Amino acid sequence: MSEFQINRRALGGLALGATALGLGACEPTAKTDLQPASRQFPKDFVWGVASAAFQIEGSQQADGRGKSIWDTFERIPGKIIDGSTASIATDSYNRFGEDIDLIKAAGLGAYRFSMSWPRIVPTGQGAVNAAGLDYYERLVDGLLAKDIVPYATLYHWDLPQALQDKGGWANRDTALRLADYASVIGQRLGDRLKRFIVLNEAAAQSILGHLLGMHAPGLKDPALLGPVIHHMNLGQGLAIQALRASQSDLSIGTTFALQPVRASGGDLAVWNRPAAEGLDALSNRAWLDPALKGTYPKRVSDLIGKALMDGDMATIHQPIDFAGVNYYAPAYVKLDLSSPSKIALAKPPKGSELDAFGRHIDPSGLAEVLGWLRKDYGNPQVMITENGCSDPFSSKPAIIKDTFRITYIRRHLEAALTAKAAGSALNGYFVWTLLDNFEWALGYTSKFGLVAHDRATGVRTLKDSFGWVASLAKSGTLPSRP
Ligand code: FCB
């Protein structure tokens, strides 16, 4: 997620061990933009928007929903930059019909939303909350009634607090509970909900939530990282099995947060390369390798240690129908001798074009990560499950004339088309996000929506990017300028 890529604090405590100098770190490319030979997307290309339950639903106490780790975390003073909570958010628990109408008005054929585990299984295991399932049934039926294909993310960071109280993702049992929860959903909704994304950006939750303390569950314990990585991967494999057992005709993927990790200082700073390799292993390969190859990179398996049990890698290495890619920006890192991992995040090279958070706007990074999947991972079917940018003016009212957003999306789609022409099996693109919403630790100061949301009145106002995306989805032709 965004902060994952912008935080410049030392990534202390990764304990990745000694890293050898060598290949692997990606050097900054001189050229950020790629021009595709054709600007035409295929007719069956999937256009959609993405969201996450905790960021939009609100209604945290409604109809038997249990507490999640984010309910706890957002109330710890100082954790959310503007002191806000998601207790109302965009009120999509009540106003999902308006969300659907907006998606329909944009002519988008797909909606990626996430299901709230504590709404469906309030304590994370055992009793199922029928009212929670009913909500998602209404949402799914509402989408289908308007010919919008639902893509449901099973887990977008909102772990039931009751499971965290037993150790959360550091506890192997959580992986098994994810599978139970997946099975409940598959059995109840799998007759019409056919497309699933199991995990969202497990890398971000493991690092920001367990090492840097910036996201729920707010821990800063390097010793947790290995077990957390492994149990999230294991839970993913078990959940895929459980979904397939519940219905035979599901299309199941998972979403990776992919970012090229580049050594600060480029060619001249060879000493920064091991740091880049370390973060690349942790944020990219610790997730791609087990899911798509059934292995861990050496330095990641060193971290996992005894958490790995016989048979786990086979369980994790399930066939998937598509890989979801979330891409926002590359990361830059440098060697930091004061941290045990020797890794610190660094600034992009001087002169780079930056977004509101100081991240490098670099569409070529999207083509690069799609290239990894094509060349290193057997060229799976791919959907870009998130891409987008936030308003540059943070806490000021949302900007309606958001040409910067249109430009960002257009340039990233040029990179996507270039990768597609090179052979990537890219089938879809989801803008993050429909409505300005609760952006985790950044509260409401970071607005990514195609639609502005007035928190005082609930009024939703279309931004220019909404119309631009609508006309793109209709024609399938990428314009050459905003
Ligand atoms: C992604 C997260 C999503 C949102 C966007 C901006 O990393 O998956 O929930 O925060 O960043």
Side-chain angles (χ1 to χ4, degrees):
M1 80 74 57
S2 38
E3 295 152 84
F4 183 29
Q5 296 159 329
I6 60 168
N7 183 269
R8 301 208 183 94
R9 260 190 259 169
L11 284 163
L14 293 185
L16 284 174
T19 50
L21 287 176
L23 300 173
C26 314
E27 296 305 322
T29 49
K31 209 160 157 273
T32 56
D33 284 39
L34 300 165
Q35 288 307 320
S38 159
R39 305 186 77 84
Q40 188 61 42
F41 285 90
K43 274 212 161 38
D44 58 356
F45 195 79
V46 176
W47 295 104
V49 277
S51 71
F54 193 80
Q55 295 177 271
I56 65 164
E57 285 179 0
S59 298
Q60 294 176 337
Q61 265 94 48
D63 302 333
R65 176 184 177 278
K67 232 174 145 184
S68 82
I69 54 173
W70 270 94
D71 298 52
T72 308
F73 185 76
E74 68 178 1
R75 289 180 171 79
I76 302 173
K79 291 295 185 189
I80 310 300
I81 197 171
D82 57 0
S84 63
T85 70
S87 58
I88 298 176
T90 61
D91 198 18
S92 291
Y93 187 69
N94 297 307
R95 302 179 70 159
F96 68 90
E98 290 171 54
D99 297 356
I100 296 174
D101 289 344
L102 285 168
I103 297 164
K104 187 68 192 168
L108 299 172
Y111 182 38
R112 174 184 174 223
F113 58 93
S114 83
M115 298 178 133
S116 157
W117 187 347
R119 213 180 268 298
I120 295 177
V121 188
T123 56
Q125 64 189 113
V128 173
N129 177 31
L133 274 173
D134 290 348
Y135 167 66
Y136 293 106
E137 183 170 66
R138 289 196 296 278
L139 175 59
V140 167
D141 287 348
L143 289 163
L144 292 173
K146 300 246 157 120
D147 291 323
I148 300 164
V149 179
Y151 283 72
T153 307
L154 283 188
Y155 179 68
H156 196 130
W157 302 351
D158 46 355
L159 189 74
Q161 180 61 44
L163 292 184
Q164 187 62 44
D165 296 343
K166 296 179 188 158
W169 286 110
N171 179 354
R172 186 179 173 94
D173 188 61
T174 299
L176 279 67
R177 303 291 74 84
L178 181 79
D180 295 346
Y181 158 65
S183 170
V184 166
I185 293 170
Q187 284 175 30
R188 171 71 185 272
L189 293 171
D191 59 341
R192 62 209 109 145
L193 175 57
K194 298 294 182 190
R195 289 164 178 82
F196 287 93
I197 289 164
V198 177
L199 299 184
N200 177 75
E201 296 197 4
Q205 182 159 64
S206 61
I207 297 174
L208 293 172
H210 297 84
L211 185 68
L212 298 178
M214 296 168 61
H215 274 195
L219 304 172
K220 293 185 186 171
D221 184 352
L224 296 179
L225 206 54
V228 166
I229 289 174
H230 184 60
H231 297 146
M232 292 187 93
N233 277 316
L234 181 65
Q236 177 171 283
L238 290 167
I240 295 170
Q241 288 178 333
L243 283 173
R244 295 221 193 274
S246 72
Q247 287 284 326
S248 57
D249 62 346
L250 303 179
S251 174
I252 305 176
T254 199
T255 277
F256 303 101
L258 298 185
Q259 50 181 354
V261 183
R262 298 173 180 163
S264 172
D267 284 340
L268 300 178
V270 283
W271 55 88
N272 285 331
R273 286 196 198 164
E277 291 169 8
L279 187 61
D280 177 54
L282 207 62
S283 63
N284 298 313
R285 314 291 165 178
W287 311 95
L288 291 170
D289 285 17
L292 301 173
K293 293 181 174 170
T295 56
Y296 277 117
K298 165 87 172 74
R299 70 187 89 206
V300 176
S301 51
D302 289 350
L303 269 185
I304 290 171
K306 289 200 296 274
L308 180 70
M309 298 178 64
D310 277 356
D312 284 358
M313 294 319 290
T315 306
I316 292 172
H317 188 208
Q318 294 298 311
I320 53 171
D321 298 295
F322 62 95
V325 171
N326 289 1
Y327 176 81
Y328 291 91
Y332 290 87
V333 296
K334 61 185 176 191
L335 192 69
D336 176 7
L337 293 176
S338 67
S339 109
S341 69
K342 315 282 184 274
I343 301 173
L345 291 174
K347 286 186 184 168
K350 277 207 173 64
S352 300
E353 182 189 8
L354 304 180
D355 72 4
F357 302 112
R359 293 174 309 184
H360 189 186
I361 300 182
D362 183 0
S364 78
L366 174 58
E368 187 173 333
V369 302
L370 292 173
W372 298 344
L373 288 167
R374 194 170 68 240
K375 295 178 219 155
D376 306 342
Y377 294 97
N379 202 12
Q381 299 295 311
V382 181
M383 317 270 297
I384 295 171
T385 40
E386 284 181 31
N387 177 238
C389 73
S390 106
D391 284 358
F393 302 118
S394 61
S395 57
K396 299 222 176 87
I399 299 161
I400 304 303
K401 297 201 82 54
D402 57 345
T403 315
F404 61 92
R405 177 168 290 109
I406 297 172
T407 303
Y408 179 97
I409 295 174
R410 174 178 57 76
R411 291 168 62 191
H412 284 78
L413 285 170
E414 284 166 351
L417 272 174
T418 306
K420 196 165 164 50
S424 287
L426 177 66
N427 304 309
Y429 178 90
F430 293 78
V431 179
W432 182 271
T433 182
L434 179 65
L435 288 158
D436 291 341
N437 60 37
F438 180 79
E439 181 48 39
W440 309 110
L442 299 176
Y444 297 95
T445 66
S446 178
K447 303 177 198 309
F448 279 82
L450 301 178
V451 180
H453 174 250
D454 183 327
R455 291 176 60 219
T457 62
V459 167
R460 293 146 182 239
T461 307
L462 307 187
K463 302 183 191 177
D464 285 0
S465 56
F466 180 92
W468 185 87
V469 167
S471 86
L472 170 61
K474 192 162 180 217
S475 69
T477 312
L478 185 62
S480 46
R481 52 176 64 89

